[in-house]
């Protein structure tokens, strides 16, 4: 499975969605939810214990998604839960299973999640992890020992185009590219003016970026994002529109943001927030 990789490299427009791995020993419910979207998307992002909350393994779920839905998975991989030995072991297993699109992350600290006494490992960070994956792709482990067979990962990284400290974010962006990142995905974008500022600063860099899109399901939710999620800024004008237009305005804002991002990029990454019917309406429209 390399359709997603090839499409991104050809600079064709791609659409991915992010699902929430189940807190369950079965993947059936999540597979059933996203099945109706499979023909409209190019990939499925699977978080790794998101917000430090325990969920099914993204590698295992990625393998199931690929086999049952014939659509590629992008598995998230966080440094929080594994030492450098375990990191490499799991990556070799993922490659053997054919789950080869990876998003490299440092990971949230355990104390923010549902197992507050868990130990955060953090042998490395997202940039160091990218270097590890690049070495495996080159046929060597972290210690420089030769592998019997090299891996073939398509490496993704995260960048925040709406960061309050844009210069620092762009510096990390460059470091990730130098470490081996092949493509980027972002947090949800609501402020198009900030996005335009970011794209102008990196217009000389030829690397694919899939920008994040998330529905604003309520005023309460919009304010929660502003107050609790670092790097996300929902402009007051959008909150005012929600106040006046209600649920109908949720779809209007989503469609407008989608078209704005589509006009500026080669890809979009949708956070459905479990509302797959809304996502279906967006993509079919």
């Amino acid at each position: 499975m390399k359709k997603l990789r090839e499409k991104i490299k050809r600079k064709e427009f791609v659409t991915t969605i992010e699902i929430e791995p189940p807190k369950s020993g079965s993947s059936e419910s999540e597979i059933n939810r996203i099945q109706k979207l499979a023909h409209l998307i190019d990939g499925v992002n699977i978080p790794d214990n998101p917000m430090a909350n325990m969920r099914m393994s993204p590698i295992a779920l990625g393998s199931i998604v690929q086999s049952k839905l014939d659509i590629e998975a992008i598995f998230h991989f966080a440094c929080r839960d594994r030492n450098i030995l375990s990191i490499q072991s799991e990556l070799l297993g993922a490659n053997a299973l054919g789950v080869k699109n990876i998003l490299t992350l440092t990971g949230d600290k355990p104390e923010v999640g549902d197992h507050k006494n868990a130990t955060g490992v953090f042998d490395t960070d997202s940039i160091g992890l990218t270097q590890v994956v690049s070495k495996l792709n080159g046929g060597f482990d972290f210690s420089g020992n030769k592998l019997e067979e090299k891996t073939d990962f398509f490496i993704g990284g995260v960048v925040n185009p709406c960061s309050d400290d844009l210069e620092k974010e762009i510096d990390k962006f460059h470091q990730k590219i130098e470490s081996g990142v092949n493509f980027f995905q972002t947090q949800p974008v609501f402020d198009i003016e900030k996005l335009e500022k970011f794209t102008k600063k990196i217009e000389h860099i030829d690397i694919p970026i899939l920008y994040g899109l998330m529905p604003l399901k309520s005023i309460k939710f919009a304010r929660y994002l502003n107050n609790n999620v670092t790097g996300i800024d929902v402009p007051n004008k959008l909150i005012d529109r929600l106040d006046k237009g209600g649920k109908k305005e949720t779809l209007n804002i989503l469609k407008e943001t989608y078209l704005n991002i589509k006009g500026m990029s080669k890809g979009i990454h949708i956070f459905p927030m479990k509302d797959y019917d809304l996502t279906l309406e967006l993509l079919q429209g």
Side-chain angles (χ1 to χ4, degrees):
M1 276 194 171
K2 292 185 181 180
K3 294 178 184 177
L4 178 64
R5 179 186 311 200
E6 291 168 0
K7 197 169 182 179
I8 289 176
K9 285 185 174 181
R10 289 196 301 265
K11 299 181 181 178
E12 297 178 32
F13 192 86
V14 299
T15 302
T16 66
I17 67 166
E18 184 162 309
I19 64 174
E20 183 176 314
K23 191 163 188 169
S24 169
S26 169
S27 64
E28 186 176 355
S29 60
E30 203 58 35
I31 293 295
N32 290 338
R33 289 190 188 102
I34 62 174
Q35 196 160 20
K36 58 188 175 184
L37 289 168
H39 66 293
L40 296 169
I41 58 178
D42 300 291
V44 176
N45 273 72
I46 306 174
D48 184 9
N49 291 332
M51 298 297 292
N53 291 310
M54 191 277 289
R55 294 289 186 271
M56 181 181 286
S57 159
I59 295 173
L61 185 54
S63 179
I64 294 167
V65 165
Q66 291 188 167
S67 64
K68 289 192 173 182
L69 299 180
D70 192 30
I71 186 167
E72 287 184 72
I74 303 169
F75 73 95
H76 296 195
F77 201 75
C79 303
R80 172 191 55 235
D81 307 316
R82 311 162 176 92
N83 65 20
I84 203 71
L85 186 66
S86 179
I87 284 173
Q88 296 174 95
S89 176
E90 287 201 49
L91 289 175
L92 292 180
N95 189 81
L97 286 169
V99 188
K100 299 185 180 184
N101 303 306
I102 179 174
L103 195 72
T104 53
L105 303 162
T106 300
D108 299 297
K109 294 180 179 179
E111 51 263 34
V112 306
D114 59 1
H115 285 64
K116 300 185 187 303
N117 293 324
T119 302
V121 182
F122 299 110
D123 263 6
T124 187
D125 60 11
S126 60
I127 293 173
L129 174 58
T130 301
Q131 293 169 344
V132 170
V133 182
S134 295
K135 285 184 179 180
L136 295 178
N137 277 352
F140 294 89
D141 68 15
F142 185 72
S143 295
N145 302 306
K146 190 173 179 58
L147 302 177
E148 291 181 17
E149 186 172 329
K150 64 183 180 181
T151 59
D152 183 32
F153 289 109
F154 190 49
I155 308 171
V158 175
V159 64
N160 181 11
C162 299
S163 171
D164 291 331
D165 190 344
L166 194 54
E167 295 305 321
K168 182 178 179 181
E169 189 68 18
I170 290 175
D171 180 59
K172 287 177 65 178
F173 176 69
H174 284 290
Q175 290 181 52
K176 290 179 180 181
I177 294 171
E178 291 170 2
S179 298
V181 167
N182 304 120
F183 72 100
F184 284 87
Q185 293 185 304
T186 81
Q187 288 181 293
V189 174
F190 299 103
D191 193 324
I192 299 302
E193 291 180 4
K194 283 189 174 182
L195 178 58
E196 289 174 340
K197 183 178 178 182
F198 172 77
T199 56
K200 285 180 181 178
K201 283 185 173 291
I202 56 100
E203 61 185 356
H204 60 288
I205 302 172
D206 186 22
I207 193 162
I209 302 176
L210 282 60
Y211 292 101
L213 179 69
M214 177 186 285
L216 290 172
K217 303 186 75 171
S218 67
I219 295 173
K220 182 179 179 181
F221 178 62
R223 288 175 175 157
Y224 172 84
L225 291 174
N226 277 345
N227 294 330
N228 296 280
V229 183
T230 303
I232 292 183
D233 179 24
V234 182
N236 288 329
K237 62 183 179 181
L238 295 186
I239 295 176
D240 291 340
R241 285 178 60 180
L242 286 172
D243 189 28
K244 294 175 183 177
K247 288 186 178 180
K248 182 180 178 181
E249 203 62 20
T250 293
L251 181 59
N252 290 337
I253 291 171
L254 189 66
K255 285 182 175 179
E256 288 175 20
T257 309
Y258 174 73
L259 291 174
N260 280 324
I261 293 175
K262 194 171 184 181
M264 301 167 62
S265 73
K266 293 297 182 182
I268 201 156
H269 172 49
I270 302 173
F271 299 79
M273 304 304 293
K274 297 185 179 180
D275 194 338
Y276 297 107
D277 289 333
L278 184 65
T279 305
L280 185 63
E281 188 174 356
L282 171 71
L283 296 178
Q284 285 182 331

